[in-house]
Amino acid sequence: MPLQRVHCETRKACKPCCLNSGPLADDTDDMAFAIYHAMGLKELGRGVTGKPRFLSLLSSLLERSVQKNEMSQIKDVLTVFHGARAPSISIQQYIDRIYKYAGCSPSCFIVAYIYVDRYLERADAHLTSFNVHRLLITCITVAAKFIDDAFFNNAYYAKVGGVSTLEMNKLEMKFLFSIDFRLRVSVKTFQRYCSELEKEAGGCQIDRPIKPCGIKESWSTKDDSTTRSTTAAG
């Protein structure tokens, strides 16, 4: 099955990863550009390379949430996202790997962050070292398909995430049914989650853009009304 990503010949070779063993959106889009500036995010200068700073902030926030839950010894429900043991790769390394190889827009990571909260709330579950990696690759995969113009198939995302294609398909379907296919994200919610990451940075504005591609001002906020940030709490 061919990859669905355009210009896929330019992607970086994906090195193997196993959890069990331990083009950016077009910046000329007028509507997205207007929303992007309305959110107060800085513009990406041409030729800027490297990893967006917000990825480290997101990793730190998720890591702190995992540590808090595990130190509290919260009795958690077992889900399809739980592994038999915690992967040896850190959250930071895992997010960096996905950013390097998945080729999705920066917005996907914020939308995935929102999806993680939605799932945890609906499943009455908590983020732990046993489920965070599978939740991340699943939510980023779904976000890429929902808001990006081009994306890869599940076999490729599975390779990036260190799971089998069969498991990737299973995780995706379980996630979608668990949140009742509530994938839409309002600009207001997107901005709120960006603000949480800015707080993680001590109030400093995120230094790389998170373009809200595929997110429309006209979308209903109904899907967002009950969503609370479980990862940022406390």
Side-chain angles (χ1 to χ4, degrees), residues 74 83 118-119 123 129 176:
I74 296 174
R118 286 184 181 176
Y119 172 79
S129 56
L176 289 171

Side-chain angles (χ1 to χ4, degrees), residues 99-176:
Y99 179 77
K100 180 178 181 180
Y101 294 116
C104 54
S105 68
S107 298
C108 288
F109 290 85
I110 301 299
V111 173
Y113 172 29
I114 296 169
Y115 287 171
V116 167
D117 269 349
R118 286 184 181 176
Y119 172 79
L120 293 175
E121 183 177 14
R122 291 295 292 267
D124 195 23
H126 299 86
L127 209 59
T128 71
S129 56
F130 292 89
N131 64 16
V132 62
H133 296 79
R134 285 175 173 81
L135 271 173
L136 279 172
I137 189 58
T138 303
C139 291
I140 292 171
T141 295
V142 172
K145 291 180 178 182
F146 191 66
I147 70 173
D148 279 357
D149 293 330
F151 49 85
F152 293 110
N153 59 24
N154 278 13
Y156 183 77
Y157 289 124
K159 186 176 181 181
V160 172
V163 297
S164 68
T165 303
L166 183 63
E167 184 176 10
M168 184 76 252
N169 294 338
K170 181 180 178 181
L171 293 173
E172 181 183 38
M173 290 304 296
K174 181 62 176 179
F175 170 77
L176 289 171

Side-chain angles (χ1 to χ4, degrees), residues 55-69 91-92 95 109 112-113 116-117 120 127-129 132-133 136 140 197 200 230-232:
L55 292 181
S56 296
L57 301 177
L58 177 59
S59 301
S60 175
L61 189 150
L62 294 175
E63 187 68 55
R64 194 168 65 247
S65 178
V66 166
Q67 291 176 353
K68 176 185 175 183
N69 291 335
I91 295 175
Q92 175 75 72
I95 287 179
F109 290 85
Y113 172 29
V116 167
D117 269 349
L120 293 175
L127 209 59
T128 71
S129 56
V132 62
H133 296 79
L136 279 172
I140 292 171
L197 289 179
E200 186 73 11
T230 56
T231 54

Side-chain angles (χ1 to χ4, degrees), residues 23-36 39 105-108 111 114-115 118 142-151 183-188 190 210-220 223-224:
L24 293 176
D26 185 1
D27 284 337
T28 61
D29 186 300
D30 290 337
M31 179 172 289
F33 189 75
I35 298 172
Y36 165 64
M39 290 177 62
S105 68
S107 298
C108 288
V111 173
I114 296 169
Y115 287 171
R118 286 184 181 176
V142 172
K145 291 180 178 182
F146 191 66
I147 70 173
D148 279 357
D149 293 330
F151 49 85
L183 299 178
R184 289 186 174 182
V185 175
S186 69
V187 173
K188 182 178 180 181
F190 187 93
I210 309 169
K211 186 177 179 182
C213 54
I215 298 174
K216 311 296 185 183
E217 284 280 12
S218 59
W219 280 2
S220 169
D223 286 343
D224 302 319

